[in-house]
Amino acid sequence: EAGVAQSPRYKIIEKRQSVAFWCNPISGHATLYWYQQILGQGPKLLIQFQNNGVVDDSQLPKDRFSAERLKGVDSTLKIQPAKLEDSAVYLCASSLVWGQGSYEQYFGPGTRLTVT
Amino acid sequence: QQQVKQSPQSLIVQKGGIPIINCAYENTAFDYFPWYQQFPGKGPALLIAIRPDVSEKKEGRFTISFNKSAKQFSLHIMDSQPGDSATYFCAASSPDSNYQLIWGAGTKLIIKP
């Protein structure tokens, strides 16, 4: 079974530029999560999708971050414009079912973003 | 009340030793407690998980001990190996928070040869 795929793996941009990250979850996984992980910290949830609907985006800085999952499969996270403090690893995770007792989340390798 | 407190922040153990990482929580609605292992440059990987209806779960060299009354759970690694050197995160989840994972701060474990 293929895992969660993410691209690119690394990205360096200047502040005020825009950037987009792509995620393809495990086949059949209805729930998709985007996390931000700053070095030395645990992952922080940015947004949670169930199929193509948003379950929770309360911690997404909506003035600069946006995310979509149009067909309920792959997803894109965008930052526009980027700030220095956005330097982090952006992780995508997926889980089989939400709300029916299946909690296991499987993570992709992440995209390391450096904003200069 | 949504926090999960993890300790220690870092841990160095000799090969063959048994590192123990502890987590504590306050929210009694939590009903799922996973441990994730993360190597540098990789995403977290689910290691083992427990629900509060059991006090212990073992998978290979990894064991979770769960104390519901104390609201604590811990990870034990038997016969630790240098390849176990990684950052370990505990987490907790509940139905009333969209099953989102509440993460501990992480423990950086080093196993010395």
Side-chain angles (χ1 to χ4, degrees):
Chain A
E1 181 183 75
V4 176
Q6 289 188 249
S7 68
R9 291 296 315 278
Y10 306 92
K11 191 74 177 178
I12 301 173
I13 62 173
E14 295 182 351
K15 60 183 178 184
R16 291 186 292 273
Q17 287 187 324
S18 62
V19 64
F21 313 125
W22 174 83
C23 171
N24 187 249
I26 293 172
S27 178
H29 280 198
T31 308
L32 185 147
Y33 308 82
W34 282 103
Y35 289 88
Q36 179 192 61
Q37 186 176 27
I38 293 172
L39 188 64
Q41 298 182 17
K44 171 190 169 186
L45 180 68
L46 294 175
I47 189 167
Q48 176 184 356
F49 290 96
Q50 173 75 0
N51 296 311
N52 60 349
V54 175
V55 173
D56 186 351
D57 63 357
S58 59
Q59 297 193 81
L60 186 73
K62 298 181 188 64
D63 58 333
R64 298 184 302 107
F65 286 64
S66 64
E68 59 184 15
R69 193 184 184 200
L70 292 176
K71 296 181 179 179
V73 181
D74 55 355
S75 176
T76 302
L77 176 69
K78 296 180 181 177
I79 307 175
Q80 182 179 5
K83 292 185 176 181
L84 294 176
E85 58 261 36
D86 298 332
S87 294
V89 175
Y90 291 84
L91 295 163
C92 179
S94 69
S95 64
L96 185 59
V97 178
W98 170 74
Q100 294 183 24
S102 180
Y103 301 74
E104 290 82 0
Q105 293 185 27
Y106 298 90
F107 284 79
T111 297
R112 181 176 297 277
L113 174 66
T114 302
V115 182
T116 63
Chain B
Q1 193 176 20
Q2 280 291 83
Q3 281 186 320
V4 175
K5 294 183 180 179
Q6 182 173 348
S7 62
Q9 190 174 11
S10 62
L11 186 58
I12 300 174
V13 173
Q14 290 293 132
K15 177 185 172 183
I18 305 176
I20 301 173
I21 304 171
N22 300 297
C23 286
Y25 64 96
E26 290 295 326
N27 186 356
T28 54
F30 287 147
D31 67 353
Y32 174 70
F33 302 89
W35 284 90
Y36 281 82
Q37 178 189 56
Q38 186 174 29
F39 293 105
K42 305 287 187 183
L46 180 63
L47 194 60
I48 185 172
I50 197 168
R51 296 187 188 270
D53 52 344
V54 296
S55 60
E56 186 175 279
K57 183 173 181 180
K58 188 175 183 178
E59 287 186 6
R61 295 184 295 107
F62 300 91
T63 299
I64 299 180
S65 297
F66 187 83
N67 186 330
K68 188 173 181 178
S69 61
K71 291 184 280 188
Q72 295 176 348
F73 58 109
S74 60
L75 177 70
H76 302 232
I77 306 175
M78 307 302 174
D79 187 27
S80 58
Q81 301 296 314
D84 297 328
S85 298
T87 299
Y88 291 82
F89 292 95
C90 64
S93 179
S94 71
D96 59 4
S97 61
N98 295 322
Y99 302 93
Q100 291 167 9
L101 291 175
I102 308 300
W103 295 78
T107 297
K108 185 172 183 179
L109 173 66
I110 296 173
I111 307 297
K112 286 192 164 185

